[in-house]
Amino acid sequence: MRMEGWKYYNHAMIPAVPPHEAPDMRPIENGNIWKRGGGTPLFARWTTDWDCGTETNWWYVIKDEAFDIDALKSKRRYEINKGNKNFQVRRIKPSEYPEEMFMIATAAYETYPSAYRPNITHESFIDEVIKRDGLYVTYGVFSNSDGQLYGYACLREGNGYIDFTELKVVPDMEKLAINAALVNRILNDYSEFISAEGYICDGSRNINHETHFQDYLEKYFGFRKAYCRLHIQYNPKIKWLIKLLFPLRKALAAFDGIGIFHSINSVLKMEEICCSNFRANRSI
C-alpha cells in the first residue's frame, strides 16, 4: 500500500513533505499508517512548530541566507580555497559513474562504527545509482591531480527547499578540503534560490550516527538550526515494549556498541525528547 504523504525509512514512517509543511495526519488517526505493504513500520515520526524561534531539543539544519565567503574568518576562507585548488566540482549523471560511486560509498562506510555501518552490496548499490538520473541533482568531486572522482552529493529539489539527501567522500581526501569544495560549489549554484526565500536542508538532528558534519556546515558555511518539536506515534504492536524499556534506557546505553541495542537506544532517545516536549508544554 502506498501511503500518500508518508514514506517508509529505517522501520519508520516519516513525512514525504518538506519539514516546513504539516503532514497529513489522517493515516495516523485512522490507523492506516501501519498497513503499509512490504514491511511493518514500528513507529511514525513527525514535527510541528517549524522554525519556532525558541530553542528546543529537536531541529533541522538549514541554509536560508546566501553564502558569502568574504564574510568568513581567514582560516575558513583558506580551507575553502584549498578545496577549490585541489578539486573540481561539477554536476554529473550518476549512471555514468556507478562503480566510482560504489567505491566512494564503501570507503566512507568503513569509517562508521559497526553498530550502524550499512551493509551494502555491489549489485543493489549499482542498481540504485542508475535510477538516480533525473530524480536527484548530483555533484561529483574530481581531483585536479589525477582526474578521479573522490566524492559526490545528491540533492532533491522540492517546493521552496532542497533536501541534502547524501554526501559521501573518500575519507583520505578530507585533509585536502574535499568537503569544503563540494559544499561551496553547491551553495554558489543555489545562491539565487536561497535569496528568493528558499533553503537547503541537511536533515534533522542526528541521534543515530556519530557525525560532526552538521556542526561543520554551521561553522564554515553559515547553516543554522531551525528548531521545532518532535512527535512519535508507535505501532500498537510495540507500544507496550517501549513502555517496558523506557525506564531501562540508561542501562541499555551501556550496550550501544551492539547493533540491535543501538537501534533501540535511538528510539528511546527520541521518546525521551518527546517526553521533555510534553513536560515543557505543561509548564507553559
Side-chain angles (χ1 to χ4, degrees):
M1 175 185 293
R2 184 175 183 269
M3 192 63 59
E4 193 68 31
W6 295 81
K7 59 184 178 182
Y8 182 78
Y9 175 74
N10 226 9
H11 306 294
M13 295 299 290
I14 61 176
V17 296
H20 64 273
E21 294 183 8
D24 182 1
M25 299 302 295
R26 287 174 296 182
I28 291 180
E29 294 166 357
N30 59 30
N32 286 337
I33 198 80
W34 315 120
K35 299 176 183 178
R36 174 191 178 274
T40 303
L42 302 181
F43 61 91
R45 188 188 82 186
W46 71 97
T47 59
T48 59
D49 298 329
W50 165 257
D51 203 11
C52 59
T54 301
E55 186 172 333
T56 66
N57 48 23
W58 196 258
W59 57 80
Y60 285 82
V61 174
I62 69 171
K63 177 65 175 173
D64 60 349
E65 291 185 357
F67 175 62
D68 181 8
I69 189 173
D70 293 329
L72 297 178
K73 296 179 180 179
S74 59
K75 181 179 179 181
R76 295 169 187 173
R77 290 200 306 271
Y78 171 80
E79 187 73 5
I80 295 172
N81 289 329
K82 181 172 73 171
N84 291 337
K85 179 181 178 181
N86 290 322
F87 299 97
Q88 179 187 108
V89 183
R90 62 176 184 266
R91 291 192 180 191
I92 62 172
K93 288 185 176 181
S95 61
E96 295 179 356
Y97 299 93
E99 294 294 340
E100 293 89 338
M101 292 174 69
F102 177 74
M103 178 275 293
I104 293 165
T106 301
Y109 286 141
E110 286 178 353
T111 65
Y112 284 34
S114 59
Y116 56 82
R117 184 183 303 147
N119 183 22
I120 62 173
T121 64
H122 179 269
E123 182 178 358
S124 62
F125 184 90
I126 297 299
D127 288 344
E128 179 64 27
V129 164
I130 292 174
K131 296 176 184 177
R132 293 182 183 183
D133 282 3
L135 296 177
Y136 298 90
V137 175
T138 304
Y139 286 83
V141 194
F142 297 84
S143 170
N144 282 333
S145 63
D146 62 15
Q148 297 298 309
L149 182 70
Y150 285 107
Y152 65 88
C154 297
L155 294 83
R156 183 168 52 240
E157 297 179 340
N159 181 24
Y161 91 120
I162 294 170
D163 192 7
F164 214 149
T165 60
E166 184 181 9
L167 186 150
K168 293 286 184 294
V169 301
V170 174
D172 289 345
M173 295 292 110
E174 291 181 354
K175 61 181 178 291
L176 299 178
I178 186 173
N179 287 318
L182 180 52
V183 176
N184 178 67
R185 171 61 190 272
I186 291 171
L187 293 184
N188 285 332
D189 280 4
Y190 285 103
S191 60
E192 291 186 6
F193 172 83
I194 295 173
S195 297
E197 300 186 352
Y199 68 94
I200 295 178
C201 181
D202 188 57
S204 63
R205 176 183 178 181
N206 201 327
I207 61 171
N208 192 46
H209 297 169
E210 296 174 6
T211 176
H212 299 289
F213 188 68
Q214 291 184 339
D215 295 334
Y216 169 77
L217 291 177
E218 292 185 54
K219 181 178 179 180
Y220 280 82
F221 293 98
F223 280 66
R224 68 176 181 88
K225 293 181 176 71
Y227 291 102
C228 53
R229 301 191 188 280
L230 176 68
H231 303 271
I232 297 180
Q233 182 76 36
Y234 295 100
N235 189 316
K237 295 180 180 180
I238 70 157
K239 192 172 183 179
W240 64 272
L241 182 60
I242 300 300
K243 291 183 177 181
L244 177 67
L245 295 178
F246 187 72
L248 306 175
R249 61 191 183 281
K250 291 184 179 179
L252 293 173
F255 303 95
D256 200 60
I258 302 173
I260 183 62
F261 285 100
H262 179 77
S263 298
I264 293 172
N265 290 335
S266 296
V267 175
L268 295 179
K269 178 62 177 179
M270 288 189 290
E271 175 65 13
E272 186 175 16
I273 290 171
C274 290
C275 289
S276 67
N277 283 340
F278 177 74
R279 290 193 296 269
N281 289 339
R282 290 189 61 183
S283 65
I284 296 175

